[in-house]
Amino acid sequence: MKLLITGGAGFIGSAVVRFLIANTDWQIVNVDKLTYAANLDALEGVERSDRYLLVPIDINDRPAIEQVFKQHQPNAVMHLAAESHVDRSISGPAAFIETNIVGTYTLLEASRLYWLTLEESKRKQFRFHHVSTDEVYGDLAPEAPPFTETTPYTPSSPYSASKASSDHLIRAWHRTYGLPIVVTNCSNNYGPWQHQEKLIPLMISKALAGKALPVYGNGQQRRDWLYVDDHACALYRVLIAGRVGETYNIGGSNEYANIDVINEICELLDELEPRVSDSYSEQITYVTDRPGHDLRYAIDHRKITQELGWKPAESFSSGLRKTIQWYLQYQSLRQKISTT
């Protein structure tokens, strides 16, 4: 198997690359533009593998993408490259339209034209796996049942609208052209190597720096949290065994209010990196809510569990402890490097 993965230097993408190099004999071609969200340190353990190759190009560069297909002849595509930060999408939506919609279209067309050149057996084997988000489903009422694969799309932010658009493109290319696709929609990821603009690493770094821990609104926005290594395993299962044309929701079965997440971070830091006088929770402060902030997301992942045998290995408590322990060790290592 040779996999072309886009965004493989990002948070989720790098976890997938590490998982595949460690657990399969696949060859991985990583197409990544290497924006601010990429982190090559997260690939340090695999970049020396003779089964891994980084191709630093933009998915919107059609000639370059077509050359990648021609040169490397992948058996499958896993598309993770995306702009993904909601706050950034509110202040600057253009990049989200360009990458998440136009970039997906460019990759789809290059994939389709390549797929048409394959002999019949390889055409049947080929897959285009599109990785999306639960945010496309919009907002859930407090007592509403979790999102299923048939929940209508009602995106709230420029980010989620751009991802919803890309999901529709994927399904249209399957319906119209027959391109063999699978789609996954995941809940909020967390874990090692996540960019510090995201909630959990942001709160950890601010807490350790003695800065205010900003909580939007009343902090009661609820999210389902998924440990990134569990997500990587799920994506592998869908790629190798998911039914063509199907969608699979991937969730962690860990629904928490944002304020509860922040309080648990503070409690773990009080235990793992204690201070003499006060708790990290004293740094919590409430700020004006962001525009269009969804109240609740929750994922029903019974389909992937029943069909493909996947379920999350980490509880939120175990995954968060691992994340904070990793962050403390990584921060200590960076400090040592900077002073030598």
Side-chain angles (χ1 to χ4, degrees):
M1 171 71 91
K2 181 178 285 188
L3 175 68
L4 191 164
I5 183 171
T6 69
F11 169 50
I12 299 173
S14 63
V16 173
V17 171
R18 293 193 302 271
F19 176 88
L20 294 175
I21 292 294
N23 295 283
T24 75
D25 61 357
W26 293 9
Q27 293 178 298
I28 311 298
V29 179
N30 177 13
V31 170
D32 198 298
K33 188 181 177 181
L34 301 181
T35 67
Y36 79 96
N39 187 347
L40 293 178
D41 289 345
L43 295 167
E44 187 176 359
V46 302
E47 63 184 4
R48 293 182 295 275
S49 171
D50 60 3
R51 294 187 289 115
Y52 171 78
L53 176 68
L54 173 65
V55 183
I57 60 173
D58 187 343
I59 57 171
N60 272 308
D61 187 341
R62 178 72 174 268
I65 288 292
E66 290 181 346
Q67 180 59 34
V68 169
F69 278 101
K70 181 178 179 180
Q71 180 178 351
H72 297 288
Q73 300 284 302
N75 305 106
V77 173
M78 186 181 290
H79 178 35
L80 291 113
E83 295 285 346
S84 67
H85 190 48
V86 174
D87 285 349
R88 285 180 181 266
S89 81
I90 294 171
S91 61
F96 291 74
I97 305 304
E98 183 68 20
T99 297
N100 298 355
I101 302 178
V102 181
T104 296
Y105 160 73
T106 303
L107 184 67
L108 264 175
E109 273 295 86
S111 299
R112 181 178 71 88
L113 295 177
Y114 163 74
W115 171 68
L116 290 173
T117 69
L118 299 175
E119 61 185 43
E120 185 176 356
S121 62
K122 290 185 177 180
R123 286 185 65 188
K124 289 181 179 179
Q125 181 191 29
F126 185 82
R127 295 290 182 273
F128 188 109
H129 181 174
H130 178 60
V131 181
S132 190
T133 172
D134 59 356
E135 295 195 35
V136 298
Y137 299 124
D139 207 6
L140 270 179
E143 303 304 322
F147 300 131
T148 69
E149 289 79 2
T150 59
T151 299
Y153 278 26
T154 55
S156 303
S157 69
Y159 161 61
S160 57
S162 67
K163 289 298 289 185
S165 299
S166 66
D167 291 7
H168 290 319
L169 288 174
I170 301 299
R171 295 189 180 100
W173 258 242
H174 172 62
R175 177 69 179 268
T176 301
Y177 303 111
L179 186 70
I181 62 95
V182 286
V183 176
T184 51
N185 296 84
C186 70
S187 58
N188 280 33
N189 279 223
Y190 70 101
W193 300 111
Q194 190 169 26
H195 193 278
Q196 289 192 13
E197 68 186 4
K198 301 293 187 173
L199 178 66
I200 288 177
L202 178 67
M203 293 300 139
I204 296 170
S205 62
K206 283 184 175 293
L208 292 172
K211 298 179 179 179
L213 305 180
V215 180
Y216 279 135
N218 61 9
Q220 292 304 312
Q221 305 88 358
R222 300 183 67 84
R223 302 292 183 261
D224 177 24
W225 292 94
L226 174 65
Y227 191 64
V228 69
D229 289 347
D230 282 337
H231 189 195
C233 180
L235 294 179
Y236 167 72
R237 290 295 305 157
V238 171
L239 184 61
I240 64 170
R243 290 183 289 136
V244 170
E246 291 293 316
T247 298
Y248 296 88
N249 280 351
I250 306 171
S253 299
N254 297 306
E255 189 181 339
Y256 289 90
N258 285 347
I259 187 61
D260 295 333
V261 171
I262 295 167
N263 277 319
E264 186 158 352
I265 290 171
C266 292
E267 290 175 10
L268 283 168
L269 286 173
D270 286 340
E271 173 193 340
L272 298 171
E273 192 73 9
R275 297 190 297 206
V276 175
S277 58
D278 59 354
S279 168
Y280 290 95
S281 62
E282 295 184 20
Q283 296 165 221
I284 293 174
T285 183
Y286 292 86
V287 300
T288 302
D289 207 351
R290 72 183 178 205
H293 202 170
D294 289 332
L295 177 63
R296 176 175 171 245
Y297 307 141
I299 282 280
D300 181 339
H301 62 76
R302 283 179 294 178
K303 181 176 178 178
I304 187 176
T305 298
Q306 292 170 358
E307 289 193 14
L308 306 181
W310 175 88
K311 61 182 179 180
E314 299 291 344
S315 68
F316 185 63
S317 294
S318 66
L320 187 60
R321 177 176 290 272
K322 285 183 177 181
T323 300
I324 292 176
Q325 288 173 330
W326 175 88
Y327 189 95
L328 292 171
Q329 293 168 357
Y330 182 65
Q331 183 188 58
S332 176
L333 176 62
R334 291 185 66 182
Q335 288 174 344
K336 288 179 181 179
I337 292 172
S338 66
T339 57
T340 57

